[in-house]
Each structure stands twice: as C-alpha cells, then as structure tokens.
Amino acid sequence: MIKDHETLTSNSGNFTLGFFTPQNSTNRYVGIWCKTQDFVVWVANRNQPLINNSSGVVTISNDGNLVLLNGQKNVLWSSNVPNVTTNSSFQLSDDGNLVFCETLTGNSIWESFNHPTNVILPNMKLTSYKRSSEKVKLTSWKTPSDLSVGNFSLSVERLTISEVIIWNETRPYWRSGPWNNQIFIGIEDMGTLYLNGFHFEKDGTRGTGDLYFRADDCGL
C-alpha cells in the first residue's frame, strides 16, 4: 500500500512512483517520475484526478487488482485485469516499468509499459496488432496542468511499409516517413543522431504480422 506523500523507488533510484500535483493545479495524480517530479513519465489516473484531496491510496483490492482509492474508498483507477490471483504484489523496475505480478511465480499480470501515457522510455514498445487492429500508443496531456487525454496521439502504422504518425484527433499531423530497416527516411539527420535509438520488429513467430517499435536509448 502507498498512501499520499509516500513513494516507491526503483533499486537504481532513477524512478519513483507516488502522488504529485502539477504546477498551477490542485489536482493530485499517481504517477512515475524520473529523478524529479519535473519529469513525469507515466500517470495512472490522468482522467480522474483526486480533486483537492490528499487522502488517496494505491493498494491491491479485494478482487486482486491494483487500484487507486480516494478518501471515500471509491476506485479512481484500476489495472482492471480479470481473474487476478489475490496473492499479488507490485514493484517499480529500474527502467521505470510498474510491474504488477503474482507473488509466488513472479509472472507479470499487468505492466505500465503496456499502458503508456505521453512518454516512451527505453525497452518500452509501441505496438500495432494486425489481427485485432489494436494499438499501444502515446497520448498527449491536454495541458501541463491538466493531464487528461489531449488531442494528439502517436502510433505505429502501416505494417507493410511501417512509419510513425502523430494524429490530431483523427487527422494526420506529422509523419516520420517509412522505416528502411535503419532510419525513418522522413526525419532529417536521423542517420547521424538516432541510428541506434529505435528498432522495428515484426512478430513472425505467431504469423500475425504484429509490429513492435522499441526505443533503446532516450538519454537516461
């Protein structure tokens, strides 16, 4: 259990999970930050903040899920995994991934890396699934003080000729250009600046054509 003003820190000390309030706001959020609260990399309850309330608690609920409760014990956020074992725990890894797992086996039940907000970290994957058309993508904050989902999103598109697109709601706003197995050809100077920073991988083991875009080095 983590109460407001308590924190959970990764072994390296680089990442911290806890409650915070953005500048020019009175809302309380649960998030992960790198080094300081000025660099927030993930937010749990971005669409349901604690309003003028510092009595929030992150805990494991009776149904086994990881949840955020307000002072009235209402659920503001949940990992929302069905059929979860009640013998579970959570930890913050050294790469900034909040991992909710079975205590006895260590098997992952839920990970924040599979539910990113507006930041991509090393080892995180943005995915595009061919069969289900589902995507793991980044979504912007509305403003620096309002962390709810904004108009912009970033996703991996086009499984045959892969590229990254930033969307303004449903309209393309920016394109990376196709991936040529080394760089995005539409990004100027990417060959010299980011050649070792990104990888595309197609999951051929399942024959699904699923696409994984992985960031390897964000300068952390």
Side-chain angles (χ1 to χ4, degrees):
M1 177 186 296
I2 299 177
K3 298 179 181 179
D4 202 336
H5 302 300
E6 296 178 344
T7 58
L8 175 67
T9 303
S10 63
N11 288 334
S12 66
N14 287 332
F15 293 95
T16 302
L17 171 73
F19 292 78
F20 71 99
T21 298
Q23 291 186 355
N24 303 315
S25 173
T26 58
N27 292 340
R28 296 291 282 173
Y29 296 90
V30 170
I32 298 170
W33 56 86
C34 179
K35 305 293 187 181
T36 72
Q37 291 187 11
D38 293 331
F39 187 10
V40 176
V41 298
W42 182 79
V43 182
N45 59 318
R46 58 190 306 192
N47 289 318
Q48 286 192 284
L50 290 146
I51 301 174
N52 293 318
N53 191 319
S54 60
S55 58
V57 175
V58 175
T59 187
I60 297 174
S61 65
N62 292 334
D63 69 358
N65 272 284
L66 185 63
V67 296
L68 166 64
L69 305 177
N70 62 13
Q72 291 72 45
K73 307 301 181 183
N74 296 320
V75 178
L76 299 185
W77 172 86
S78 170
S79 55
N80 198 29
V81 179
N83 303 318
V84 183
T85 175
T86 55
N87 191 0
S88 54
S89 60
F90 59 94
Q91 60 186 12
L92 185 59
S93 65
D94 285 339
D95 55 4
N97 189 14
L98 177 61
V99 181
F100 182 43
C101 59
E102 295 179 351
T103 303
L104 295 179
T105 65
N107 293 333
S108 172
I109 301 170
W110 178 95
E111 299 181 19
S112 62
F113 270 18
N114 295 329
H115 304 271
T117 50
N118 69 326
V119 174
I120 186 169
L121 292 170
N123 300 320
M124 183 184 289
K125 294 179 180 180
L126 302 183
T127 60
S128 181
Y129 299 107
K130 184 177 181 180
R131 288 185 176 179
S132 65
S133 299
E134 294 180 1
K135 295 181 175 67
V136 175
K137 59 186 180 180
L138 302 182
T139 51
S140 66
W141 296 349
K142 279 190 176 179
T143 70
S145 58
D146 180 355
L147 311 190
S148 58
V149 176
N151 292 334
F152 291 90
S153 62
L154 181 149
S155 61
V156 175
E157 304 291 337
R158 307 177 189 276
L159 294 178
T160 53
I161 305 175
S162 307
E163 65 177 330
V164 171
I165 297 179
I166 295 177
W167 303 86
N168 183 354
E169 295 184 340
T170 60
R171 301 182 301 275
Y173 178 80
W174 176 87
R175 297 176 184 269
S176 66
W179 177 259
N180 69 357
N181 294 321
Q182 286 189 309
I183 63 171
F184 296 108
I185 63 174
I187 301 180
E188 186 177 359
D189 296 329
M190 185 175 181
T192 56
L193 294 178
Y194 302 106
L195 185 59
N196 296 319
F198 302 93
H199 287 282
F200 269 115
E201 305 170 15
K202 290 188 178 180
D203 189 349
T205 59
R206 294 183 294 176
T208 60
D210 297 347
L211 187 66
Y212 303 89
F213 168 55
R214 189 181 76 241
D216 290 331
D217 184 4
C218 294
L220 298 177

